[in-house]
Amino acid sequence: MRDIVFTRQSGWIPQVISEDGELKLMLGAGADANHEPRTFTFPIGAAHLAVIQEDLARHLLLWSAVLPLCDAAGTRGRLDEDAAVALLDPILLSAPADVDAFFRSIRWDRGRLVAHGADLGLLKRGQVCAAMRAATGTPDGKRAQEYHADRRRAERGTVLGPLDAAVLRYTGQYLHGSTVPKRLPDAVDPALLPRVIAVIATAEQACAGMRISRDPRRGKRATDKRDWDRMAAVVDAAVRRAHPALADDAVRTVSFLMCSEASDRSRNAPMEDDEETSADRADLGGSTRRGPLSFTDDKGVEKKWLPDGPRSATAEFWEFVGERSAGDNEVFTIEDEEKGEGVQLHFYADSLARITTVREGRGGSDPEYRVEYTLVDGIGGYRNLVSVFVRGGCAALERHGSWMSDVDEFERARRRRDAR
């Protein structure tokens, strides 16, 4: 039979129970193989119970020292009760100086103490008893998270100044650098907010007019990594130039914010808007598409586009690619059956082939095609070539690539590029 003898009714602080007449400390820690919380117990004495009841700081110190033993038990192992019992007297019944010395010889969970109000300066100096004088029974999880974040930065030699920390808080990346950045002015000390806004303004001015296009090769909502890297480099350089004292972490979070917002704008824009810049960039001589087109992928799926449809051919094609592209589906074709020509995109090789019918098949003979290859520079290169072909056909592509009809010559060129 189990009865609760003492509890602080706050969070996960260990309870004292009576089990078959024996006093035990009971705590929840870790998880089992099914991700359910594990519960551990080990025996204590009446003298230990008296200290636990009267001294919150000692209670918390004991908890922080037992937790590593619970971690060592893993998902199904047993708690080392002997090791746990051996913690009781040195932590609960010893003089403060001896407790401090004891903590220098064992593993303990600093984050737990930080969450309950430990003085960080004293904790760092190893004065654990003094650090817990202002301990509270209610945990502050965010304080512990910030402590761990600062420790991770310190391990890689990064120390944040007040403005650095404010910039990271503004983007919501103070705790986790992989968090998608946001704009959180309320998270910043009002005295520092104008300086943070000045840093953000520098970044916005630097990347004004830049965009991050979608990259349908990697999915319907994927964006162009090259565009991202280009914008990040521009923002990084401008912020470092205007605010040279900023730490790398602060500069990176501002670049991340600008690129993330640009990517979101692109993902949420209609495909026609996403295509407009590519079409405008291409020198097409005013030629426009009149006939229907057929889109196919490497799996034999086909989609027809008609000139009187509501959307442009390029928008329809790239949406088709975004929906169908995959690691085993990287070849896409656009064919103009009426003109007997088409282009084939090879995403796995960063190349494109233009295919023109030289002679129609007659009397059971196969038609004769001229196939020419060119290397393509990223998704931007593909967009331009597709736009040119859609509006002007194969002839319009002549000035938009180094075309090679010899397969061996093309493979050598591709290997030279890949080697670079």
Side-chain angles (χ1 to χ4, degrees):
M1 183 173 177
R2 175 182 291 180
D3 296 311
I4 296 176
V5 175
F6 176 74
T7 180
R8 294 191 182 275
Q9 299 292 345
S10 177
W12 290 80
I13 298 177
Q15 299 176 329
V16 178
I17 63 170
S18 175
E19 193 169 53
D20 298 329
E22 183 180 19
L23 289 176
K24 291 184 178 181
L25 193 74
M26 182 175 72
L27 69 156
D32 61 20
N34 295 319
H35 306 290
E36 296 293 331
R38 297 200 69 190
T39 300
F40 300 94
T41 64
F42 62 94
I44 66 171
H48 304 133
L49 171 60
V51 175
I52 288 171
Q53 289 175 316
E54 297 298 327
D55 194 332
L56 171 63
R58 298 281 183 130
H59 191 179
L60 295 172
L61 287 170
L62 176 62
W63 185 23
S64 76
V66 174
L67 283 172
L69 299 180
C70 298
D71 292 339
T75 59
R76 60 183 64 185
R78 294 176 59 86
L79 177 70
D80 185 342
E81 286 195 8
D82 291 339
V85 170
L87 297 171
L88 294 171
D89 287 357
I91 295 175
L92 298 179
L93 305 180
S94 299
D98 294 332
V99 175
D100 292 346
F102 183 67
F103 266 73
R104 288 194 287 271
S105 67
I106 63 169
R107 291 178 57 216
W108 47 287
D109 189 322
R110 287 170 171 78
R112 198 69 57 178
L113 301 184
V114 172
H116 283 270
D119 183 289
L120 300 184
L122 293 173
L123 206 63
K124 185 175 181 180
R125 293 195 291 272
Q127 298 173 258
V128 294
C129 286
M132 298 305 294
R133 284 174 186 157
T136 63
T138 303
D140 182 347
K142 185 177 180 182
R143 186 172 190 257
Q145 289 179 318
E146 292 186 353
Y147 173 75
H148 286 303
D150 289 337
R151 280 178 63 88
R152 288 194 299 270
R153 292 188 186 96
E155 287 171 359
R156 54 186 171 86
T158 298
V159 178
L160 300 180
L163 181 57
D164 301 316
V167 169
L168 288 165
R169 293 184 194 282
Y170 180 87
T171 62
Q173 289 200 297
Y174 188 91
L175 300 181
H176 304 289
S178 59
T179 303
V180 176
K182 305 173 184 177
R183 298 192 183 220
L184 304 170
D186 291 343
V188 180
D189 181 342
L192 286 171
L193 185 57
R195 295 177 62 192
V196 172
I197 297 301
V199 173
I200 301 300
T202 298
E204 290 173 333
Q205 292 165 10
C207 63
M210 299 182 72
R211 67 197 301 268
I212 296 178
S213 301
R214 275 181 280 190
D215 188 348
R217 298 175 300 175
R218 299 189 295 114
K220 197 168 183 179
R221 288 177 57 80
T223 51
D224 186 0
K225 185 177 184 301
R226 288 191 181 188
D227 283 353
W228 180 294
D229 292 342
R230 189 177 303 113
M231 181 178 288
V234 168
V235 172
D236 187 283
V239 171
R240 290 182 190 279
R241 186 166 53 249
H243 309 276
L246 278 182
D248 289 344
D249 284 20
V251 175
R252 278 194 294 268
T253 197
V254 174
S255 298
F256 194 4
L257 176 66
M258 295 298 110
C259 293
S260 180
E261 290 180 342
S263 291
D264 285 343
R265 288 193 294 271
S266 179
R267 291 189 188 101
N268 295 325
M271 186 65 79
E272 286 83 359
D273 293 347
D274 189 48
E275 290 297 310
E276 184 179 348
T277 301
S278 295
D280 291 345
R281 272 201 305 263
D283 180 10
L284 305 173
S287 179
T288 57
R289 165 61 49 186
R290 300 295 182 188
L293 294 172
S294 174
F295 310 145
T296 57
D297 66 3
D298 211 21
K299 302 292 186 180
V301 175
E302 182 177 13
K303 182 176 183 178
K304 295 286 188 180
W305 175 83
L306 300 175
D308 57 356
R311 305 177 69 199
S312 70
T314 52
E316 290 280 1
F317 173 71
W318 288 117
E319 182 168 288
F320 178 68
V321 171
E323 292 172 345
R324 300 288 306 164
S325 183
D328 61 347
N329 195 21
E330 298 185 286
V331 178
F332 288 80
T333 302
I334 308 174
E335 184 178 0
D336 184 333
E337 295 180 7
E338 291 182 359
K339 291 186 176 181
E341 62 182 14
V343 290
Q344 190 172 72
L345 291 69
H346 312 123
F347 294 147
Y348 65 91
D350 286 329
S351 64
L352 179 143
R354 63 174 179 175
I355 305 164
T356 308
T357 302
V358 176
R359 181 178 57 81
E360 298 286 349
R362 295 186 179 88
S365 64
D366 293 332
E368 180 182 346
Y369 300 103
R370 180 171 65 251
V371 182
E372 300 166 289
Y373 303 89
T374 188
L375 299 174
V376 181
D377 187 17
I379 188 62
Y382 278 119
R383 287 186 182 281
N384 281 336
L385 292 175
V386 167
S387 295
V388 170
F389 173 76
V390 164
R391 294 195 175 192
C394 279
L397 288 170
E398 186 63 36
R399 295 182 293 114
H400 296 274
S402 299
W403 300 98
M404 292 164 269
S405 56
D406 185 279
V407 175
D408 292 335
E409 178 188 0
F410 170 70
E411 284 299 322
R412 287 192 295 270
R414 188 163 73 90
R415 287 194 293 269
R416 285 195 299 271
R417 179 203 59 192
D418 293 347
R420 294 195 295 267

